[in-house]
Amino acid sequence: MTPRTAARAVSVLAALALVAGCGGADGSGSDGSRDGRGERSGPSRAPDVVPTESRAPAPGRGSGGPDDINGDGHPDLLMQVPVAWPASRGGVPQIAVVFGSPRGLDPTTRTLYTTEELGVPDPSPVGNTPPYPGTTADLDDDGFADFVTRTGEETSGGNRVVEYVNWGGPQGPRRGAAPTRLRLPAPDAATGFDDVVRGDFDGDGRHDLAGLQSADTGLRSDKSAVVLLFGPFSRTGVAARTERRILPQPPYASYGGIRADDIAPSGKPRTTGLFLHYGNDGEQSAGRYFAARPGGGLAATGRPVREGNGHVFGDFDGDGTRDLAVGDDGGRNDEPGSEAEAADVSGSYAVYPGGGGPVRTYRPGADVGGSYTAVDPDGDGRDALLFDGREGPVLYEGDRRVARLVRRPPARVDGKRIAAGSGARRVHFAADFDGDGKDEVVLSWQSPKLSAVYGEVPTHWWITRGVGPRDAVAFSSRKFAPPR
Ligand SMILES: [Ca+2]
Ligand SMILES: [Ca+2]
Ligand SMILES: [Ca+2]
Ligand SMILES: [Ca+2]
């Protein structure tokens, strides 16, 4: 995430993983940034440890970090945690904050919220997922990250998505405090946004939001637009100012997604670039890129970018400016017209340098795919690209595969045998939780074998050290919430 113990009770060092070409015979001799494809079989299975909650988070003074929930200067991790379902009750996941420390995330220091405690209205008019604060940002600029939750609302003109804010504080948002409805500019208030992302779109160090208003789904607008809501927001949910940019109509599509660069976690503010992705029916679609201008603020017009459903911001050439990587995520459909895909889309990605300059295209082939994550595992300031494709996470620098990131689930959970390659693993993001300048990667896992008890949310987590075989911490969240 743009985005991380004292007694690290569940610290797991050499217990997990393997990395291609790693040095030591025990698999722990390298951080995995070497070339090579040699793989050893049988990496260790993760331990199945639920860390005991040992202390409340230390109240912070306000750091302004977008992921620093208690404002103590250390980024924290927000997650959904299962409520075990022994009988006929429960099942709605709760929201947990795992707090950071000078040594990284500490799962013994955590806070839980039920959806009732956050008070966000039921999202059933627009869907059946429980409300979850998918975005955190310090909207009122008091130094504490706030929760932004999208939910649904019925209106006479149809159902729409609305946003609520739970204001942060020295120990996170207060339980039971009523959330504030975000007030949108008049043209958008009636329809709501298709999606909302956080960023700093004028580079002033104050957090902003950007909303996508797609012509496809906007009830009253006939042109797609991106709406910038600049912070600080008032406690009544009004942005300091807003800016609306009409987007050019893409051929054969509307806009399907919006993504912003990471807010600089600390130190020098920077403008965050913005990417608007065209909608698609499963085929790879193109988009437009609003780069950050050197003087601050977003470029006046978006630049068209190639087809590809994978995308992420990072500094991939190491020149100090942020770039956009766009490429194949491996998804396809078999509808008529799919044969019209340009020959160079499959198996490739391109880097659009933020400072201008020629686009560089790379062709890793079958390794490209899945979600894209920018990772700087060695702290040299240059990001590598982690693909979470069919064969599991693989790390690339340009055309060169430099590492694989493999973690195996526990062999047994609640007495049930778990097959090594089973279940669903996911790369969430990479961030420097412990402040050493190198990124950690956040991975999770869940199994259909456990879903009757724990539902569909992850039950096991790894915070890796870079892309090497070691973990900063690995733990299970399956009993964070008391069973109901
Ligand atoms: Ca914190
Ligand atoms: Ca705040
Ligand atoms: Ca700003
Ligand atoms: Ca680090």
Side-chain angles (χ1 to χ4, degrees), residues 345-363:
V345 172
S346 178
S348 73
Y349 74 97
V351 172
Y352 293 77
V359 179
R360 304 278 310 259
T361 295
Y362 303 99
R363 295 183 172 79

Side-chain angles (χ1 to χ4, degrees), residues 84-122:
W85 195 338
S88 58
R89 298 186 59 215
V92 177
Q94 296 189 10
I95 294 138
V97 182
V98 173
F99 287 93
S101 82
R103 277 157 291 203
L105 285 175
D106 173 11
T108 69
T109 307
R110 59 191 192 238
T111 297
L112 278 179
Y113 296 95
T114 65
T115 56
E116 292 82 9
E117 285 166 343
L118 292 179
V120 174
D122 181 356

Side-chain angles (χ1 to χ4, degrees), residues 72 74 153 187 277 328 332:
D72 66 349
H74 307 296
E153 181 178 79
H277 190 204
D328 187 5
R332 293 293 184 281

Side-chain angles (χ1 to χ4, degrees), residues 456-473:
E456 303 298 325
V457 301
T459 54
H460 291 74
W461 295 81
W462 294 259
I463 315 301
T464 73
R465 288 196 189 284
V467 292
R470 301 182 186 201
D471 293 308
V473 65

Side-chain angles (χ1 to χ4, degrees), residues 57-58 60 63 67-77 97-101:
S63 72
D67 299 307
D68 184 5
I69 305 303
N70 62 335
D72 66 349
H74 307 296
D76 312 310
L77 176 64
V97 182
V98 173
F99 287 93
S101 82

